Amino acid sequence: MKRINFNGHFLLVFCVVAGILSCNETKEKSQENTNADIIFPKGEKISNNNFTGTAWLKTLVNADSVNQVAVGSVTFEPGARTKWHSHPAGQIILALDGVGYYQEKGQPKKVLRKGDVIKCSPDIPHWHGASVDTAFVQVAITGREKGKTVWLEEVMDNEYQAR
Amino acid sequence: MKRINFNGHFLLVFCVVAGILSCNETKEKSQENTNADIIFPKGEKISNNNFTGTAWLKTLVNADSVNQVAVGSVTFEPGARTKWHSHPAGQIILALDGVGYYQEKGQPKKVLRKGDVIKCSPDIPHWHGASVDTAFVQVAITGREKGKTVWLEEVMDNEYQAR
């Protein structure tokens, strides 16, 4: 009787230990994959006042006199967004991860997800940022040949939250 | 005796079933993450003769008269590469996944991995592609304001394989 009880307990303990090990393995894999999803480093926290909330910029390519296209990866924490602004030579946005918002003046707000692409025409006031509860990672491709970004007013909470 | 044996067997069967279910869960998660890594669709198989091997193009943004920057995602299968070529307005390459090669004429070949960025000056002959045994996914950002890509000769196996 004792011996068989031991076998039963042994199997139960084995089961629990195997379950825990299996759980840990799944967690580790999930962690690895989360890290693997990041393509560019987050870069530096943006400290100028052209943004609401917390956003990070990794400059990938600086414009120069020969190739005047600038490329940067921006990570917006949930709720973070740019002010309204426009680009004299337009802008292209590639959505890499998370859930973001994009809106041109007078148009409804668009929801952006991984793989979405926006081509914003020159001088069109617009804003972009993360959704309310999910961060957003984008690459911005901006021509500098016609001058600097024109920064406008803040995106109010009611504009940001509008559907 | 019989009753206790049944408990032992029951636990063993439970253990095996739990193990199989746990394994399946891990596989499903892994599958989900693999799909989640793909940012842009592979697009169409490239059928022109400017490439060696098999490569795929997803056009993300066409150049137009106002914003003359074209953006495309290219997936090179292992061994695939462009011919030597140059761009009159230069090119920017963002490495998104896999392992790739990039070489400018007269320079050593560079190995590119996720997150690497190349800024290629105008009129510099170069080629890019996948490594020998790993596919490569890149975004190419190409100014079209000074004309079309100039295609040159094929990248020979000894150039491609050189270290």
Side-chain angles (χ1 to χ4, degrees):
Chain A
M1 186 75 174
K2 271 224 169 231
R3 186 175 158 267
I4 293 154
N5 260 339
F6 168 78
N7 280 347
H9 286 144
F10 174 77
L11 273 169
L12 187 63
V13 168
F14 175 78
C15 224
V16 169
V17 170
I20 290 169
L21 287 177
S22 160
C23 258
N24 275 347
E25 196 196 358
T26 307
K27 273 184 197 158
E28 274 165 25
K29 274 179 195 287
S30 166
Q31 188 61 39
E32 273 171 26
N33 280 312
T34 304
N35 291 337
D37 282 347
I38 298 169
I39 293 178
F40 304 108
K42 252 168 87 167
E44 303 294 322
K45 195 167 168 174
I46 296 173
S47 59
N48 64 49
N49 65 356
N50 297 325
F51 289 68
T52 302
T54 303
W56 305 75
L57 170 66
K58 173 67 184 174
T59 298
L60 301 177
V61 176
N62 283 308
D64 61 37
S65 59
V66 176
N67 187 339
Q68 298 200 39
V69 171
V71 184
S73 177
V74 184
T75 301
F76 296 91
E77 294 189 2
R81 68 265 193 183
T82 66
K83 286 186 175 176
W84 286 97
H85 63 285
S86 66
H87 305 282
Q91 186 175 55
I92 292 162
I93 296 170
L94 311 179
L96 293 195
D97 206 4
V99 183
Y101 297 154
Y102 170 82
Q103 186 177 24
E104 296 183 359
K105 205 81 177 177
Q107 300 294 321
K109 185 177 79 181
K110 287 182 183 174
V111 177
L112 303 183
R113 291 189 172 80
K114 181 184 283 197
D116 286 340
V117 177
I118 291 285
K119 185 173 186 176
C120 178
S121 295
D123 299 324
I124 298 290
H126 66 283
W127 65 268
H128 30 127
S131 61
V132 175
D133 50 15
T134 307
F136 179 56
V137 183
Q138 60 154 58
V139 161
I141 303 165
T142 315
R144 298 293 188 206
E145 68 273 23
K146 292 185 181 165
K148 290 184 178 176
T149 301
V150 178
W151 289 101
L152 306 165
E153 71 281 8
E154 199 176 334
V155 176
M156 293 300 143
D157 283 348
N158 62 336
E159 292 177 301
Y160 174 70
Q161 286 157 4
R163 296 192 176 206
Chain B
M1 185 74 172
K2 268 217 170 243
R3 189 177 157 268
I4 293 152
N5 258 342
F6 167 78
N7 281 345
H9 285 145
F10 175 77
L11 274 169
L12 186 63
V13 168
F14 175 79
C15 224
V16 169
V17 169
I20 289 169
L21 287 177
S22 161
C23 258
N24 274 349
E25 196 196 357
T26 307
K27 272 186 198 159
E28 273 167 24
K29 274 177 194 287
S30 165
Q31 188 62 38
E32 272 172 26
N33 281 311
T34 304
N35 291 337
D37 283 347
I38 298 168
I39 294 179
F40 304 109
K42 252 168 87 168
E44 302 294 321
K45 196 168 168 174
I46 295 172
S47 58
N48 64 49
N49 65 356
N50 297 325
F51 288 69
T52 302
T54 303
W56 305 75
L57 169 66
K58 173 67 184 175
T59 298
L60 301 177
V61 176
N62 284 308
D64 60 38
S65 58
V66 176
N67 187 340
Q68 298 199 40
V69 171
V71 184
S73 177
V74 184
T75 301
F76 295 91
E77 293 189 1
R81 66 264 194 183
T82 65
K83 286 187 176 176
W84 287 97
H85 63 287
S86 65
H87 305 283
Q91 187 175 57
I92 293 162
I93 296 170
L94 311 179
L96 293 195
D97 206 5
V99 182
Y101 296 154
Y102 169 82
Q103 186 176 24
E104 296 183 359
K105 205 82 179 178
Q107 300 295 321
K109 184 178 80 181
K110 287 182 183 173
V111 177
L112 302 184
R113 291 188 172 83
K114 182 186 283 198
D116 286 338
V117 177
I118 291 286
K119 184 172 184 175
C120 178
S121 296
D123 300 323
I124 298 290
H126 66 282
W127 65 268
H128 31 128
S131 61
V132 174
D133 49 17
T134 305
F136 179 57
V137 183
Q138 61 154 57
V139 161
I141 302 165
T142 315
R144 298 292 187 206
E145 67 272 24
K146 292 184 181 166
K148 288 184 180 176
T149 301
V150 178
W151 289 100
L152 306 165
E153 71 280 10
E154 200 175 333
V155 177
M156 293 298 143
D157 281 348
N158 61 337
E159 293 177 299
Y160 174 70
Q161 285 156 4
R163 294 188 180 212

